């Protein structure tokens, strides 16, 4: 069966520090992968998605970037975090016509 | 482009009462529609999905939704609310390679 792993679960970072969130999927090959962010009271915002290795589509211009170095690995990064980067980050993969989500990372930038 | 609008950011119901969450969609092609539920500090879990088969879709935990093309709606209902239904609910519509989500509706259940 397919599983998705996302870590860390919580993260507290100072403003200006770098960020790396990792997501891996098991049990499937060549999945479409996604990074979403939830800010308080603002629903889900699609940040990036990828349909294959090295293929990244950015939905919203911002302080973040994404990379897909391997088929089932998706990384969200920032060189310098801003206060506005705080939120709940969710990784997901798509299969059978639906999205399957990881358990999320709560990022607090202080 | 596809989009959904959820009417009402907060819904409060009594335990045992009907739960009704409203979602309207906009799509240039026949849509695939979804309802997801999110419990605090967790990822999203699929409740149900509509993929152009039966217009009344039954999901997990006693929820169901009806696709109404004439009203461009996909409202979610549950006949009798349980305390465990307290969560945030998201409607979504599929586009090319991605889903677009509504802003979410938070459901609280009163004892």
């Amino acid at each position: 069966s397919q599983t998705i792993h996302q870590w860390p679960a919580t993260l507290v970072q100072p403003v200006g520090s770098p960020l790396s969130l990792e997501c891996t999927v098991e049990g499937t090959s060549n999945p479409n992968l996604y990074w979403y962010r939830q800010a308080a009271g603002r629903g889900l915002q699609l940040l990036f998605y990828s349909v294959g290795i090295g293929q990244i589509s950015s939905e919203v211009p911002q302080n973040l970037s994404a990379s897909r170095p391997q088929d089932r690995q998706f990384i969200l990064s920032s060189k310098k975090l801003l206060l506005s980067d705080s939120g709940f980050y969710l990784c997901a993969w798509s299969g059978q016509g639906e999205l399957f989500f990881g358990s999320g990372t709560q990022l607090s930038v202080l | 482009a596809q989009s959904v609008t959820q009417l009402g950011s907060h819904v409060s119901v009594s335990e045992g009462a009907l739960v009704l969450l409203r979602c309207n969609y906009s799509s240039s092609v026949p849509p695939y529609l979804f309802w997801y539920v999110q419990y605090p500090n967790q990822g999203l879990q699929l409740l149900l999905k509509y993929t152009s088969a039966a217009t009344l879709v039954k999901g997990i935990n006693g929820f169901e939704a009806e696709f109404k093309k004439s009203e461009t709606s996909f409202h979610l209902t549950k006949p009798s609310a349980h305390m465990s239904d307290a969560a945030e609910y998201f409607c979504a519509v599929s586009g090319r390679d991605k889903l677009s989500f509504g802003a979410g509706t938070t459901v609280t259940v009163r004892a």
Side-chain angles (χ1 to χ4, degrees):
Chain A
S1 63
Q2 300 89 357
T3 56
I4 180 168
H5 301 281
Q6 186 182 343
W7 66 93
T10 60
L11 190 60
V12 180
Q13 292 285 98
V15 170
S17 64
L19 172 74
S20 180
L21 302 181
E22 189 162 342
C23 172
T24 59
V25 180
E26 296 177 358
T28 186
S29 59
N30 197 31
N32 285 2
L33 297 172
Y34 306 82
W35 279 110
Y36 285 87
R37 177 172 62 195
Q38 275 183 293
R42 295 183 61 184
L44 262 68
Q45 180 184 36
L46 178 62
L47 301 176
F48 302 94
Y49 70 96
S50 171
V51 299
I53 295 174
Q55 301 178 61
I56 309 294
S57 296
S58 175
E59 289 294 297
V60 182
Q62 56 201 316
N63 187 43
L64 301 169
S65 62
S67 62
R68 185 170 178 174
Q70 301 180 40
D71 181 43
R72 289 170 289 177
Q73 183 185 30
F74 204 24
I75 298 172
L76 183 69
S77 303
S78 174
K79 293 182 179 178
K80 290 185 177 182
L81 284 168
L82 306 172
L83 288 173
S84 58
D85 292 324
S86 293
F88 191 56
Y89 288 82
L90 288 160
C91 181
W93 71 278
S94 66
Q96 297 93 48
E98 64 184 78
L99 281 182
F100 299 88
F101 285 85
S103 53
T105 296
Q106 183 65 53
L107 172 65
S108 299
V109 183
L110 306 176
Chain B
Q2 288 75 21
S3 66
V4 291
T5 302
Q6 291 183 242
L7 304 176
S9 58
H10 290 88
V11 169
S12 180
V13 299
S14 298
E15 192 172 19
L18 172 72
V19 179
L20 171 60
L21 305 182
R22 300 178 186 275
C23 173
N24 287 93
Y25 69 90
S26 173
S27 178
S28 57
V29 297
Y32 284 9
L33 294 160
F34 306 79
W35 276 100
Y36 281 84
V37 61
Q38 184 183 32
Y39 300 101
N41 298 313
Q42 294 186 25
L44 278 69
Q45 178 184 7
L46 182 70
L47 278 177
L48 49 81
K49 63 181 178 181
Y50 167 76
T51 57
S52 74
T55 56
L56 182 63
V57 182
K58 295 187 182 298
I60 62 172
N61 301 340
F63 285 93
E64 63 182 35
E66 186 172 10
F67 173 73
K68 291 186 176 181
K69 184 178 179 180
S70 61
E71 299 177 7
T72 60
S73 68
F74 190 57
H75 301 332
L76 181 71
T77 60
K78 181 174 180 177
S80 177
H82 190 271
M83 298 299 289
S84 61
D85 295 326
E88 189 161 18
Y89 293 79
F90 293 92
C91 182
V93 61
S94 65
R96 181 176 177 176
D97 294 328
K98 57 187 179 180
L99 292 189
S100 296
F101 286 84
T105 300
T106 300
V107 173
T108 57
V109 182
R110 306 185 303 272

